[in-house]
Amino acid sequence: MRLIRTLIDRDQDHFEPALPPGLSELYDGDLHFRTSPAERPLIIANFASTLDGVVSYEIKGQAGGSTISGGDTADRFIMGLLRASADAIIVGARTVHDVSPEGLWIPEYTYPDAKHLYTEYRVNVLHKPEYPILVIVSGSGRLELERAIFRTPGVRTVVITTSAGKDELTREGAATLGSVEVFALNSNSGSIALPSILRLLYSQFGIQMLLHEGGPTLFGQFLAAEAVDELFLTLSPQIAGRREDAFRPGLVQGMEFIPKCAPWFQLLSVKQEAEHMYLRYRRTPSRSFDVAN
Ligand SMILES: NC(=O)c1ccc[n+]([C@@H]2O[C@H](COP(=O)([O-])OP(=O)(O)OC[C@H]3O[C@@H](n4cnc5c(N)ncnc54)[C@H](OP(=O)(O)O)[C@@H]3O)[C@@H](O)[C@H]2O)c1
């Protein structure tokens, strides 16, 4: 049964199917990814945004992406499909804080009906372990270790932090958690340089495909480092608005570009279900404009 309707698909020059039939039927098309660029993983980002570009209401209990997408079924299916495709998923610490304590970054958590299809694709077609590794970036190391992501057998969680963050996590008992690995990297005032994170994931963990699930602060750093290859964006048919004195992040936070080096993208596919649109973009070289306005 089809979950989404494909309106545009510009990525059809492939001889072999990538998805097993059950998933390509639900997705209404195939899903191919390029191989990773030299010396770093292929990086695919996935966000849901309102029509006016807001990705979080920043209201306690309603700050997550599911409030933005309205819990949309097809968005959840695509999220699961991208998770099933990835070796690892990376998130910033604030995104973790806004997810329910039971939340898991595994394919079937977002769309349980496709659990067997995701597993078949991941294990039998892609030959990957049952679940992707969850990578959390936190300079402070202040993470709630009672969360399910730190205590679910079979779910491997890697925390990339500073030496102060590692001390904090050790004090809280991270070393006693069997499926949690903590790595301290050099930092500048608590901020770890992105290239060192990518080097660690590529060289030490062999991550070929990394799924970026936010938030906007971490995503901005990836864009600035030219370390985003694709963006899957669910456009949700609502408008959140912003007041001048209240903070509601857009897709990117804490980073800005000038026109000469703003990231541009090529549209790869457009899918739709009811009022939602599901856009897939591939990064292109920056454009420069000589316009007076
Ligand atoms: N709509 C969507 O699709 C979507 C997707 C994802 C997230 N969200 C929402 O976005 C909001 C969170 O986004 P956010 O931008 O505020 O936060 P974020 O990017 O998720 O996390 C920021 C935190 O990550 C750590 N961090 C990021 N870069 C770092 C670096 N280079 N070195 C060390 N630590 C680093 C820091 O943690 P420490 O403070 O621990 O040092 C920082 O405070 C939430 O409301 C979430 O629900 C929405």
Side-chain angles (χ1 to χ4, degrees):
M1 192 198 63
R2 194 177 71 183
L3 258 184
I4 321 165
R5 188 156 66 108
T6 300
L7 304 179
I8 296 172
D9 186 355
R10 292 170 163 172
D11 191 42
Q12 291 181 319
D13 299 334
H14 303 277
F15 296 115
E16 297 290 326
L19 294 180
L23 286 178
S24 58
E25 193 181 332
L26 288 167
Y27 191 57
D28 193 29
D30 214 343
L31 181 61
H32 290 264
F33 292 105
R34 291 182 166 175
T35 50
S36 61
E39 302 299 308
R40 71 156 171 83
L42 181 81
I43 298 164
I44 308 292
N46 184 31
F47 277 87
S49 163
T50 63
L51 295 179
D52 56 334
V54 169
V55 304
S56 172
Y57 273 93
E58 287 285 331
I59 295 171
K60 199 167 165 39
Q62 295 176 293
S66 62
T67 306
I68 298 295
S69 78
D72 179 61
T73 305
D75 175 69
R76 298 181 76 82
F77 166 71
I78 294 172
M79 210 185 312
L81 184 58
L82 297 178
R83 289 179 179 184
S85 307
D87 296 304
I89 303 167
I90 192 162
V91 285
R94 288 203 60 221
T95 294
V96 175
H97 297 315
D98 278 346
V99 167
S100 96
E102 295 78 37
L104 290 174
W105 273 263
I106 62 174
E108 64 261 31
Y109 186 78
T110 60
Y111 191 76
D113 288 357
K115 175 179 170 30
H116 298 299
L117 293 173
Y118 290 147
T119 305
E120 180 207 347
Y121 167 50
R122 200 174 160 75
V123 177
N124 300 338
V125 178
L126 301 177
H127 308 293
K128 295 183 192 290
E130 188 179 7
Y131 295 128
I133 299 172
L134 174 64
V135 180
I136 301 170
V137 183
S138 167
S140 71
R142 283 193 287 274
L143 295 167
E144 302 121 330
L145 294 179
E146 62 284 356
R147 286 181 167 274
I149 46 173
F150 300 114
R151 296 171 182 274
T152 302
V155 172
R156 193 173 168 198
T157 299
V158 170
V159 181
I160 298 181
T161 187
T162 57
S163 49
K166 185 168 183 175
D167 290 346
E168 168 72 18
L169 284 158
T170 305
R171 264 194 305 279
E172 295 298 316
T176 63
L177 302 171
S179 57
V180 179
E181 296 153 75
V182 178
F183 283 82
L185 297 180
N186 287 338
S187 72
N188 183 1
S189 316
S191 180
I192 303 159
L194 207 61
S196 53
I197 295 177
L198 295 180
R199 243 188 331 270
L200 176 79
L201 296 179
Y202 186 78
S203 314
Q204 195 142 339
F205 290 90
I207 306 296
Q208 298 282 323
M209 179 172 159
L210 180 66
L211 174 63
H212 195 307
E213 286 204 19
T217 303
L218 189 62
F219 186 53
Q221 297 168 41
F222 272 68
L223 280 172
E226 300 202 345
V228 176
D229 299 294
E230 288 193 23
L231 170 64
F232 286 75
L233 183 67
T234 293
L235 202 53
S236 184
Q238 62 164 324
I239 292 179
R242 291 180 178 98
R243 282 196 333 226
E244 277 179 19
D245 60 344
F247 172 72
R248 274 184 185 170
L251 201 58
V252 168
Q253 200 58 43
M255 185 70 66
E256 65 175 12
F257 303 98
I258 55 171
K260 203 168 81 172
C261 58
W264 278 77
F265 293 83
Q266 167 197 7
L267 185 65
L268 278 194
S269 72
V270 177
K271 294 176 187 263
Q272 167 256 333
E273 156 55 23
E275 272 38 80
H276 283 71
M277 302 288 284
Y278 313 92
L279 310 172
R280 179 187 183 191
Y281 291 99
R282 178 177 291 153
R283 179 85 164 81
T284 57
S286 296
R287 298 184 183 184
S288 43
F289 289 103
D290 284 322
V291 286
N293 51 14

